[in-house]
Amino acid sequence: MSDLVIKAESLGKKYLIGHQSDRGRYTALRDVLARNVRDYWRKAKALAHGEQIVQGDEQEEIWALRDVSFEIRQGEVVGIIGRNGAGKSTLLKILSRITEPSMGRVTIRGRVASLLEVGTGFHPELTGRENIYLNGAILGMTRSEIRHKFDEIVAFAEVEKFLDTPVKRYSSGMYVRLAFAVAAHLEPEILVVDEVLAVGDAQFQKKCLGKMGEVANEGRTVLFVSHNMSSIKALCDFGILIETGKIKFFGDIDTTVNSYINSSLSYSEKKPYFETDIDPDLPIQILSISIINSDGEFAQQHPYDQPFFVNLKVYVKHLLSNVYIAVHIHDNDLTTLIFTRDFEYHENNLVKNKGLYLYTVEIPSPLLVPGIYRVSVHIAYSAPPKLIHGIDYVCEFNIIDNKSIQAKMGFPWKGKISIPLKWDCTAL
């Protein structure tokens, strides 16, 4: 018997987006009433034909996926990567039978357990205990099978104290812990996990990656979506790179990740300077990011033993509170090595007054080993946490070795961080 568990053939998913043709224009009452009648008739017609309901007078077709074909065999661990909006989550929803494809077909052998977003498959009014049995039943497990795995699920999720509490009172982290524990322990033939694990803390993410590795070693199939290239490379054997709804590459994971890094960054993002236009809808916005050397010049290359600076030009539309700016520095695998926020330097930085500002972050030396690095900048509310504006993986720069002791002795650089540590030796 064939060990093929997933076969996608020319998959496509089309969405219709509505636009109001008279937006921003004065309309009389009769025009509003006529438009409402047309909208009502359009919705009724769509419902009658089982079609998507679209708001607005004008419609635009958006293909989230188009002509996607691949085969996955039993026991393979496949990482699905690509930029935001590439179509990764849409593909997983089709594979999980949450949404139907607009064209093509997909054949799946075996039970599929999905963890696509916080709360997938959970009923908020039911307790954690009841949701475990509910999810097990959805997966086709018998009550005795669920009972056999119950203690293991609860121990993994670490929610013993809240097991009889409605899950609507859970934090997002507790939600994800329980949802992943259920999905991974109820023995599905295929486990599908989206970026939702990023909600959990670092220790739990490590625990989940270990569990997915165990699932794969048991001969089950894992599909994993993540923007963390280190996790993808550590867990997966194969990778699917999706770009604008189409598969750009499908092969071994190292080649897939390298193809993603090299192709997803535009020419402008590989320069030490990045700028964007003002968006009038944003209350605060990053206008430019630049990498500056100690002479105050834009620079692509920086000696490892000399400091450099990340300059941010930020526009604040009006007074804001509980807002912070974060800078990430990533290595060539897009793993975050340095993370810093402005309020860590001074708590008053959470308040942003109206105006145009230049922020400067000094990266001391020696710190980063020679290699290629990139910058991401995010602006977010701290309470409750919510991203306002983000620019990812721009301003590529190199740290170079300018005749270090390692180079003189012919030793290769190890690790990612190089900080001189004090050594002491005492004769005994």
Side-chain angles (χ1 to χ4, degrees), residues 310 324 326-330 336-340 374-378 391-394:
V310 179
Y324 67 85
V327 172
H328 312 242
I329 294 183
H330 316 274
T336 301
L337 302 179
I338 297 174
F339 177 69
T340 180
R374 296 177 178 88
V375 176
S376 295
V377 181
H378 293 166
I391 298 175
D392 293 316
Y393 312 130
V394 296

Side-chain angles (χ1 to χ4, degrees), residues 54-293:
V54 181
Q55 299 281 359
D57 300 326
E58 299 177 356
Q59 296 183 1
E60 178 185 359
E61 289 186 354
I62 299 293
W63 284 91
L65 290 175
R66 195 158 195 171
D67 196 26
V68 171
S69 301
F70 59 87
E71 295 180 351
I72 296 176
R73 303 189 178 279
Q74 181 179 343
E76 291 182 346
V77 185
V78 180
I80 302 176
I81 60 178
R83 284 197 159 193
N84 291 331
K88 306 184 298 298
S89 296
T90 301
L91 175 59
L92 293 192
K93 287 178 181 178
I94 292 175
L95 297 180
S96 303
R97 299 187 178 96
I98 293 173
T99 186
E100 289 287 328
S102 303
M103 58 179 288
R105 58 176 291 182
V106 59
T107 305
I108 300 176
R109 280 184 47 234
R111 288 191 301 249
V112 179
S114 304
L115 186 57
L116 304 184
E117 58 186 45
V118 176
T120 299
F122 275 19
H123 193 296
E125 299 295 336
L126 300 181
T127 65
R129 183 188 305 274
E130 292 166 335
N131 271 296
I132 292 175
Y133 281 95
L134 174 63
N135 271 257
I138 291 172
L139 285 173
M141 309 287 287
T142 65
R143 192 172 182 84
S144 61
E145 287 176 309
I146 300 169
R147 191 182 299 116
H148 177 70
K149 288 283 186 178
F150 187 86
D151 291 341
E152 192 176 347
I153 291 170
V154 174
F156 188 94
E158 302 173 5
V159 293
E160 294 92 338
K161 293 182 180 179
F162 310 98
L163 197 56
D164 295 307
T165 301
V167 296
K168 68 180 181 181
R169 307 192 192 282
Y170 284 16
S171 68
S172 58
M174 292 167 61
Y175 229 126
V176 170
R177 289 205 302 271
L178 184 59
F180 180 85
V182 171
H185 285 81
L186 291 181
E187 299 184 352
E189 282 79 17
I190 302 168
L191 177 61
V192 178
V193 182
D194 205 341
E195 185 68 32
V196 66
L197 290 185
V199 175
D201 54 52
Q203 183 179 359
F204 183 72
Q205 289 182 36
K206 184 177 180 181
K207 193 175 179 180
C208 291
L209 291 173
K211 183 61 182 178
M212 284 192 282
E214 291 179 18
V215 169
N217 290 334
E218 293 170 0
R220 288 179 273 165
T221 304
V222 177
L223 301 182
F224 181 41
V225 169
S226 178
H227 289 286
N228 187 326
M229 294 302 109
S230 295
S231 298
I232 286 282
K233 292 178 76 171
L235 180 68
C236 303
D237 303 312
F238 301 95
I240 297 177
L241 172 58
I242 299 181
E243 195 170 280
T244 60
K246 298 181 179 180
I247 290 184
K248 183 173 182 181
F249 185 84
F250 182 19
D252 69 275
I253 193 61
D254 288 334
T255 307
T256 306
V257 169
N258 291 337
S259 178
Y260 167 60
I261 292 172
N262 292 330
S263 67
S264 65
L265 300 173
S266 68
Y267 173 74
S268 64
E269 293 170 334
K270 295 183 180 180
K271 299 190 296 184
Y273 183 84
F274 181 87
E275 62 181 353
T276 187
D277 298 327
I278 290 180
D279 184 341
D281 295 328
L282 290 175
I284 181 171
Q285 181 182 3
I286 308 148
L287 294 183
S288 70
I289 307 169
S290 55
I291 309 298
I292 305 295
N293 62 20

Side-chain angles (χ1 to χ4, degrees), residues 8-22:
E9 302 172 85
S10 302
L11 280 183
K13 182 62 180 179
K14 178 180 67 175
Y15 292 100
L16 296 177
I17 298 178
H19 303 284
Q20 291 289 0
S21 59
D22 58 355

